[in-house]
Amino acid sequence: MSDKKATKTNWIAWGLAVVIGYVGVFLWLLGPQSIWTFFHGNTQLNTVGDFLAGIFAFPAFVLLAAAVLTQRQELNETRDQFNKGQGVIDAQMRQIERQNTIALSAARANYKVQVHDKRMIAYQRLLDVEFAIITDGDVTQETRKLIHRCAADAKFVFGDVVNNWIATFIEEARELRRLVYALEALERTLERQGIVPGSRQEWNDALVAIHEKQQWFFDNLTMERVDEVLGESLRLPEDIE
């Protein structure tokens, strides 16, 4: 559907044409000689003034009407231009809103992907801890560092359940290290006393406690257990855009 362009009327030109036609008809009806005789033969200024007022009343009215119509037409054009401009502004605002919506959706999607990537880093770090424990057969100093790094990676991207679960490994690793220090201190004490460590029940109990703590890590830090605790959090959201 095409828009029809409104035709602009030149009311001033029409007014001038009417005035010129009026003057032409006036001169044709009265004749130049009659008008010349009237002005030169009439000595009463009031009569001349009334004559001129009557003559120019109609042209004045026509020109006034033309000016009013022209002004009205310009006002209508200004209003139409304003309406068109407002339509353009409204369209631009709708476009901006659509762009903002797209940008917001992209930002949310990017945030979800970044969180997922950080969770995968923590997940891989836990698997590295599991591999180190299986390889070394113990929780070494490097393994404890890996556990702390994993806790730092997971702190702000997982919920309390996962963070508390990882925190238990830090506590258990700390307890294991304490048991090892206690056993080493007991061995030094017994050696100074000339006693074979293996002959004392307290040494055997300490060694059993260390083995039990090590076994706890083997039982609780497995790939199956890691997948069970972290698996739900590692799935990409279905509403990602």
Side-chain angles (χ1 to χ4, degrees):
M1 182 178 179
S2 60
D3 296 334
K4 294 183 178 180
K5 186 176 180 180
T7 303
K8 183 177 179 179
T9 303
N10 191 340
W11 293 108
I12 298 297
W14 277 102
L16 290 175
V18 172
V19 170
I20 293 173
Y22 168 78
V23 172
V25 171
F26 177 78
L27 293 176
W28 178 72
L29 291 175
L30 296 181
Q33 184 64 36
S34 299
I35 297 174
W36 176 265
T37 303
F38 173 78
F39 279 107
H40 285 78
N42 197 333
T43 58
Q44 296 182 0
L45 297 179
N46 291 336
T47 303
V48 175
D50 293 339
F51 174 78
L52 293 176
I55 291 298
F56 290 106
F58 179 74
F61 172 78
V62 170
L63 294 177
L64 177 61
V68 171
L69 292 174
T70 299
Q71 186 178 27
R72 180 181 179 183
Q73 180 174 262
E74 291 176 350
L75 289 175
N76 290 335
E77 291 176 354
T78 302
R79 182 185 59 192
D80 293 342
Q81 292 176 358
F82 175 79
N83 291 334
K84 291 179 181 179
Q86 187 63 40
V88 172
I89 293 174
D90 292 341
Q92 291 176 345
M93 291 301 298
R94 289 191 295 270
Q95 180 66 21
I96 292 174
E97 290 177 356
R98 286 193 294 268
Q99 292 175 349
N100 289 340
T101 301
I102 294 173
L104 181 59
S105 299
R108 288 175 176 172
N110 185 54
Y111 170 76
K112 292 176 182 178
V113 171
Q114 288 182 352
V115 170
H116 178 265
D117 291 344
K118 291 182 181 297
R119 288 178 176 177
M120 288 300 299
I121 292 174
Y123 172 77
Q124 185 59 51
R125 191 94 68 184
L126 277 174
L127 296 183
D128 292 341
V129 172
E130 180 215 13
F131 180 79
I133 292 175
I134 294 175
T135 303
D136 300 333
D138 193 8
V139 181
T140 64
Q141 181 178 359
E142 290 300 321
T143 303
R144 290 196 299 274
K145 289 181 180 179
L146 279 176
I147 296 175
H148 280 277
R149 291 171 186 167
C150 179
D153 293 336
K155 185 174 183 180
F156 298 107
V157 294
F158 284 105
D160 292 338
V161 173
V162 174
N163 284 312
N164 292 336
W165 183 70
I166 296 175
T168 59
F169 293 103
I170 296 177
E171 296 298 328
E172 294 297 328
R174 185 180 292 114
E175 177 63 17
L176 175 59
R177 190 56 184 160
R178 186 191 67 79
L179 293 173
V180 172
Y181 283 149
L183 179 64
E184 292 173 349
L186 179 60
E187 289 176 344
R188 289 192 296 269
T189 300
L190 294 175
E191 288 175 357
R192 285 196 299 269
Q193 296 175 357
I195 301 174
V196 178
S199 63
R200 298 297 296 268
Q201 184 61 38
E202 56 183 327
W203 183 88
N204 291 325
D205 292 342
L207 190 61
V208 169
I210 291 174
H211 288 164
E212 289 178 349
K213 191 63 66 177
Q214 291 172 337
Q215 187 61 43
W216 183 90
F217 277 94
F218 284 111
D219 294 340
N220 289 276
L221 191 55
T222 63
M223 180 178 293
E224 292 77 11
R225 181 58 176 158
V226 172
D227 289 339
E228 178 184 350
V229 177
L230 274 69
E232 187 66 27
S233 300
L234 294 177
R235 294 189 179 92
L236 280 172
E238 296 180 356
D239 60 344
I240 191 169
E241 298 177 355

